[in-house]
Amino acid sequence: MSPTPASSAEVRAPTYRLKKNVPVPYTQNLPDIVRRNIGHWTDRKYHGTGIIEHISDTGDHLFTVKAGATPNARFSTETLRKFAQIADDQGLGSLRFTRSGSVEILADSLERALAVKKAVEEIGFFVGGWGHTLWSVNSCTSYLTCTTAVVDAPSITQALYDQMVPYFTGEIPLPAKLRINVAGCPTACGGLVADIMLAGHYGAAPSYDPDKIRLCLPTNAKVLSHVVPEVQMVCPVNAIESFARPDGSVGINIIEKKCIGCGRCKDVCDHITWDPSKVGVSVLIGGKSSNTGVGPTLARVLVPWIPVRPPKYREPVAVVRKIIDVWRAGAKPGERVADYVNRVGMKTVFEALKVPVGLWNRPAELNTGFGVREFLPR
Amino acid sequence: MLDELEKGPWPSHVTELKKGQYPIKAYARGLGEGLSPWFGGSARIRCEFTGFIARRTKDGQQTEVHFRIYHPSGQFYRTDELRKLLDFCDKFGLGSVETVGQTGDLVMPIQPELADQAVDELRALGTDIGGTGDTFRDSAACVGPALCEYALFDSLAARDYFFRYPAFYEKLASQPFPFKIKLKFSACPMDCARAAHRADFAFVGLWEGAPEVDPTALRAKVEAGEVSGKDLAARCPGKAIRWNSSTQELSIDGAKCKKSMNCIRQAFPAIKPGPNRKIAFMMGGHSKGRSGPKMAKPVALLDDWKSAAEFMDRVMAHWSDRSPHKDRLGDLLVEEGFEKVVDQFKEHLPVEPAGHVVGAPRIVNSSVLTDQERETFAAWADAIAREYEG
C-alpha cells in the first residue's frame, strides 16, 4: 500500500505475516506498581462492591475499580478514551479488561479510587460487580456479527441489566456471587458455568432453504456413494440424511423425531433455516466455575423454552428475576445457586417455581466432583 | 426497536455502536425479523489465514469484517498504548471495540478495503490478529500473580510460554486442526479463567494435602473478630476443619480437604495453600462440540506447565489424524476412551497420570417441542411475567 504503485516485479507477498507478532511477555504492558509486586500480594480489602484494595508485602497498596461493561462488551473508541482519561486523571494511567470485558481502572489510594468511581459514574457507567453481587452478564455477539445466532443475546442482556442495576452495585444484597450468561444459540460460546443461563434455540427442528441447500451438498449424486456431506456428518444424532434424486441432484431430509435442535448443521451450512415464530430461550441454572462449595458444575435445564420478544424480553427477564428471588429467599449466606440447588435438591427448586416438567427438563440433580476435585483422594 | 434498547439505566451497546460506523441498520433489521442478518462473507487479506471474519447481509447490501486481536496476558494496558490501539481503530475500523470476546480476544470491526494495510499497522503496535477457525484460539489466563494473592503459579507466564512454544507457534497462522483448540490457565482452584470447562487443555493451580495454618496469625485474626474458627469449620465443604474452641486451635485434615479455598479466602495469609504446589493438568473440556458441553478430565499433577507441551503436541496430532471436521478434542476422548488416549501418550508426560474421571450425562440445552409444549411453557412464563408487572 505504498503511495506510488509498485510495478508487478516489485510486489512481494507479505509472508512475514505467517509469523504472528504475539504480545509477549506480558510484563512489558504492566504498570510499574504491578510489575514490582508480582507474586508479592498478601491481602485484599473490599471497599464497597466495586473497589478492591490489593496489599503487598513490599508495602504497596493498589486499588482497582471495576466498571461494568455494556452488553457484549461493545464500547465506542470515544467511551474508551474517556476511561483512559479517567485512568490518567484519577488513576495510575493504566487499566485492564476483565475476562467479561469489564473495565478495571488502577489507582494508588482510596481517595483516588473513589474519584475514579465518581468519574466513571459521571460518564454513565456503574461501579460494582465484586463480592456478593451480580458480577456480570456475559453475552455473545449474536445478531451483531454471528451467522448461527437464533436469538439476540446483547439485547436480552440489555433488558436484564436494566432491571438488575441494584444487584450489580450491591444496593440489593445477594447471598453470593451471581453470574448470568446469555447465549444466542445452543452452542453457548460463554460456556455453561453460569449460575443462571439463557440459551437461544429454534424451539423446533430446523428446516432448510430448498433452493439453496444444494450449495452445502455435492453437485453430483454419484459422490454420495463415498462421501457424507458435512452438513449430515456434523449431526450428533443422525437426524440428517442425504439422498439422490432421479435427475442426479442431491437433497436432504431433517428427521424431526431424532433432532435435538443443537444447531451444528447451521454451523457448517448457511442455508439451514428455521421458523422465527417458534424460537425461544432455554433457562439453565446451577453452573459455576470455581471450586467453592460443591465445586465446578455445568448448569442444567430448568425450562426448555420460553418465548423471546424484543426489545423488552418480558418473559426471560421475569423468569430470571423469579429465580433470583427464590435463591435469595432460600440460600444460606455464601451459597451460590449451584450450592443452593445441590443442598435443597433440583426437585424442590422446580416445585418452588412451579415449572411444568416435560421430556426436556426432568429435574436432574447437578453432577459434582469435577475440576481439581478429580485429583483428590476419594 | 433500537431506541427502546437505549432507554434503560444500564449503558447500552446500541448507543456505543451508534457513535461509530458499525452497520447498525443490519442489526435493527435482524431484531425486527427475529433472525440474524449475517451470512458468511469473504475478505482477502494477503498471507492471513486466521484472525479475521467476514460477513455479509443476506441481500448483500451490508458487509462486516472484524479482526480478532491477541490481548497481552492479563489484558493490562497503559493508557498510551490503549490510545494507540484506539487511534488504529478510528483509522482502520468502525470506531467500535468489543473489549473481550467469548474466546478472550479483542474484537474490532474493520473497514474491508483497509484490512490488508491494517494488519501491518497492528503488528507495529506489538500485537497481531489470530484465533479464528480450526486452530489455536486466543488462550486465556486469570490475572494470576499480577494482582492476586492466591496465585499458585504464574498463569500469565504460562500463557506467554505456550504462545511461543515452537510447535504451537508455527500453527497460529494456519488452520491445521479438525476444529478450534483452546488453552486456559487458572492460578488457583477458583478457576477464574473457567479453564476446567472451556479449555481443551486446562491448567489449574493446586496444592497437595492440607492448607498451611499459621496458628499465631490465625489467633490474632480470631481475637480481632475478623475470622470465626467455628464458622470456618462449619462452612468447609469437605468437613476437613476441626476447631477447638477451648484452645482456640484449628486443624485441617488434608485427606478430606476439597481445596475449596473457603478458609483460605477468609483467613489469608494466616491460612494459605500448602507448600507442595502442583498444577492440575486436564483436557477435553468444551462448550461447543459433537457430544455436548462437558468438563475437562484429569490427566496429571505437574510441577511446571512446560512439561505438558510434548504430550499436548502428540495428543493434538492424534486428534488431527482421527477426528472429522468440527469434532473437538473432547469428542475424540469420548469416542476412543479418555484413559486409552492418555495411556497411549503418557510416556510424553514427566509423571504418571493421576486422577479419576467423574462421569456425567450429556447436557442438551436446546429442545424440539410441539406447539402444545411451547404453549405450556409460554403460559408458565407469562404467569411469572404478570407477577412482576403486578
Side-chain angles (χ1 to χ4, degrees):
Chain A
M1 295 273 173
S2 57
T4 47
S7 73
S8 59
E10 288 169 309
V11 173
R12 294 274 188 280
T15 48
Y16 55 85
R17 290 179 182 172
L18 297 174
K19 293 196 184 304
K20 295 285 188 190
N21 189 26
V22 293
V24 291
Y26 75 93
T27 41
Q28 69 186 357
N29 300 292
L30 298 179
D32 291 339
I33 186 169
V34 174
R35 192 182 295 131
R36 67 173 176 262
N37 286 299
I38 292 175
H40 286 282
W41 303 108
T42 55
D43 208 356
R44 72 176 71 182
K45 272 186 199 155
Y46 289 87
H47 298 277
T49 58
I51 300 175
I52 295 180
E53 177 181 1
H54 301 269
I55 302 162
S56 166
D57 64 13
T58 63
D60 281 328
H61 290 241
L62 174 66
F63 294 77
T64 49
V65 185
K66 177 172 158 186
T70 51
N72 191 228
R74 292 277 166 172
F75 290 92
S76 63
T77 50
E78 184 192 313
T79 299
L80 286 177
R81 281 180 207 282
K82 285 182 189 165
F83 277 114
Q85 197 59 48
I86 294 170
D88 281 345
D89 294 345
Q90 277 88 26
L92 285 163
S94 187
L95 54 78
R96 68 178 289 267
F97 301 113
T98 70
R99 295 282 304 120
S100 303
S102 302
V103 182
E104 229 177 278
I105 297 173
L106 279 55
D108 56 2
S109 71
L110 181 58
E111 197 183 10
R112 282 166 69 83
L114 289 167
V116 168
K117 179 174 185 275
K118 188 162 170 269
V120 166
E121 286 165 352
E122 273 167 10
I123 62 167
F125 284 79
F126 292 97
V127 171
W130 274 321
H132 293 187
T133 66
L134 168 63
W135 277 48
S136 67
V137 182
N138 184 304
S139 161
C140 69
T141 68
S142 304
Y143 293 4
L144 291 174
T145 63
C146 184
T147 58
T148 62
V150 185
V151 304
D152 182 53
S155 54
I156 296 174
T157 301
Q158 183 74 46
L160 285 170
Y161 264 141
D162 283 341
Q163 299 284 330
M164 288 179 192
V165 171
Y167 294 144
F168 181 82
T169 58
E171 201 182 312
I172 300 178
L174 294 172
K177 170 180 178 172
L178 173 67
R179 192 182 286 287
I180 301 175
N181 276 12
V182 187
C185 80
T187 291
C189 284
L192 270 67
V193 280
D195 299 87
I196 304 174
M197 166 158 188
L198 304 175
H201 63 92
Y202 313 131
S207 57
Y208 55 89
D209 182 332
D211 295 331
K212 293 189 174 162
I213 191 69
R214 62 187 167 81
L215 298 171
C216 300
L217 296 169
T219 47
N220 187 331
K222 281 181 190 163
V223 178
L224 282 188
S225 65
H226 58 276
V227 165
V228 179
E230 189 164 45
V231 65
Q232 176 181 358
M233 188 194 68
V234 297
C235 180
V237 290
N238 295 324
I240 296 181
E241 53 187 23
S242 53
F243 60 86
R245 295 193 187 89
D247 66 359
S249 68
V250 176
I252 64 165
N253 275 331
I254 297 176
I255 306 160
E256 198 180 330
K257 275 192 175 168
K258 283 187 179 177
C259 179
I260 58 171
C262 70
R264 271 170 64 86
C265 47
K266 173 67 181 172
D267 239 10
V268 297
C269 176
D270 266 347
H271 306 292
I272 296 289
T273 185
W274 56 88
D275 180 351
S277 72
K278 292 179 180 172
V279 306
V281 288
S282 54
V283 184
L284 291 84
I285 58 168
K288 79 195 203 11
S289 173
S290 75
N291 193 37
T292 58
V294 296
T297 62
L298 297 183
R300 304 299 296 262
V301 176
L302 176 75
V303 195
W305 185 92
I306 53 174
V308 286
R309 296 187 192 122
K312 296 275 184 206
Y313 297 101
R314 173 179 173 266
E315 289 86 354
V317 171
V319 168
V320 170
R321 288 179 69 184
K322 180 78 183 176
I323 294 167
I324 293 173
D325 285 347
V326 166
W327 169 56
R328 283 181 66 205
K332 292 180 180 173
E335 260 185 352
R336 283 185 67 173
V337 172
D339 303 321
Y340 165 67
V341 169
N342 191 65
R343 178 170 59 80
V344 303
M346 193 65 116
K347 263 192 180 163
T348 310
V349 179
F350 268 62
E351 281 161 16
L353 290 158
K354 300 189 184 70
V355 183
V357 175
L359 182 66
W360 298 87
N361 67 330
R362 299 228 172 91
E365 297 307 329
L366 297 171
N367 297 99
T368 59
F370 297 110
V372 295
R373 291 190 187 195
E374 291 177 307
F375 288 101
L376 304 182
R378 279 205 264 193
Chain B
M1 183 83 78
L2 290 183
D3 296 344
E4 278 296 317
L5 293 170
E6 295 183 88
K7 283 181 184 165
W10 191 264
S12 168
H13 60 297
V14 174
T15 311
E16 292 298 301
L17 290 166
K18 278 182 177 173
K19 288 180 188 168
Q21 300 86 49
Y22 172 85
I24 195 88
K25 276 185 187 166
Y27 181 57
R29 203 178 55 196
L31 281 174
E33 290 175 356
L35 284 170
S36 173
W38 303 109
F39 267 32
S42 63
R44 184 176 157 272
I45 305 177
R46 292 174 301 157
C47 298
E48 290 290 358
F49 308 100
T50 66
F52 67 101
I53 296 181
R55 307 291 195 207
R56 64 178 166 86
T57 49
K58 286 163 193 172
D59 58 11
Q61 292 298 305
Q62 276 131 341
T63 56
E64 201 269 357
V65 175
H66 58 268
F67 278 180
R68 284 191 187 163
I69 300 169
Y70 295 126
H71 270 302
S73 302
Q75 296 104 243
F76 282 94
Y77 288 90
R78 289 194 308 269
T79 49
D80 56 331
E81 295 168 321
L82 180 67
R83 285 200 182 89
K84 279 183 203 162
L85 210 51
L86 297 174
D87 289 343
F88 167 83
C89 181
D90 283 335
K91 188 174 173 191
F92 297 99
L94 306 179
S96 169
V97 174
E98 180 185 357
T99 52
V100 175
Q102 298 295 303
T103 49
D105 48 349
L106 181 78
V107 180
M108 200 184 277
I110 288 288
Q111 299 170 45
E113 64 278 11
L114 298 180
D116 191 275
Q117 186 190 351
V119 169
D120 290 339
E121 299 274 347
L122 186 65
R123 289 172 63 98
L125 296 178
T127 185
D128 209 335
I129 61 171
T132 60
D134 304 327
T135 185
F136 288 101
R137 299 298 176 91
D138 199 354
S139 51
C142 71
V143 75
L147 277 185
C148 184
E149 63 273 31
Y150 307 133
L152 294 166
F153 74 98
D154 191 341
S155 50
L156 304 170
R159 179 179 179 269
D160 283 2
Y161 176 80
F162 286 109
F163 240 149
R164 283 183 295 191
Y165 182 71
F168 297 177
Y169 177 79
E170 68 183 15
K171 297 182 178 77
L172 292 179
S174 59
Q175 300 193 26
F177 299 122
F179 203 2
K180 64 178 103 175
I181 190 120
K182 295 185 178 186
L183 276 53
K184 293 195 196 296
F185 309 88
S186 282
C188 87
M190 295 296 287
D191 196 0
C192 287
R194 293 165 242 172
H197 169 42
R198 294 189 54 199
D200 299 272
F201 290 108
F203 296 78
V204 180
L206 189 64
W207 70 92
E208 288 184 320
E212 201 178 331
V213 183
D214 176 344
T216 317
L218 183 65
R219 197 167 295 128
K221 277 187 182 282
V222 171
E223 281 165 9
E226 290 172 31
V227 174
S228 150
K230 197 180 152 195
D231 192 55
L232 290 183
R235 291 215 199 166
C236 174
K239 302 278 172 246
I241 296 181
R242 290 191 123 188
W243 171 250
N244 187 328
S245 54
S246 54
T247 58
Q248 300 274 294
E249 271 172 11
L250 181 137
S251 60
I252 305 177
D253 180 353
K256 285 186 181 172
C257 174
K258 300 273 188 203
K259 322 296 187 221
S260 79
M261 302 284 291
N262 181 62
C263 58
I264 293 169
R265 287 162 72 219
Q266 301 291 326
F268 197 86
I271 305 178
K272 60 184 182 184
N276 196 9
R277 311 262 163 108
K278 296 284 179 187
I279 299 173
F281 173 50
M282 297 171 271
M283 70 173 177
H286 59 80
S287 177
K288 183 177 193 169
R290 174 179 288 271
S291 49
K294 59 179 70 65
M295 299 294 293
K297 298 176 174 71
V299 180
L301 286 174
L302 305 175
D303 289 319
D304 73 302
W305 58 80
K306 294 173 188 171
S307 58
E310 181 64 23
F311 174 85
M312 290 159 71
D313 197 29
R314 303 279 175 150
V315 170
M316 282 187 280
H318 180 65
W319 169 53
S320 302
D321 194 35
R322 298 296 171 92
S323 282
H325 191 208
K326 296 282 176 189
D327 268 22
R328 292 287 286 273
L329 174 59
D331 297 323
L332 178 80
L333 300 179
V334 168
E335 204 165 290
E336 289 198 346
F338 170 74
E339 279 86 0
K340 197 180 149 201
V341 175
V342 172
D343 212 42
Q344 200 175 334
F345 299 102
K346 68 179 180 188
E347 62 180 289
H348 303 290
L349 284 168
V351 290
E352 277 297 304
H356 56 272
V357 177
V358 176
R362 183 192 169 124
I363 294 176
V364 178
N365 56 359
S366 49
S367 55
V368 175
L369 303 170
T370 61
D371 292 347
Q372 198 191 343
E373 285 171 316
R374 276 194 303 277
E375 272 167 32
T376 307
F377 291 117
W380 171 80
D382 181 62
I384 289 178
R386 278 169 202 272
E387 224 178 279
Y388 284 91
E389 283 159 359

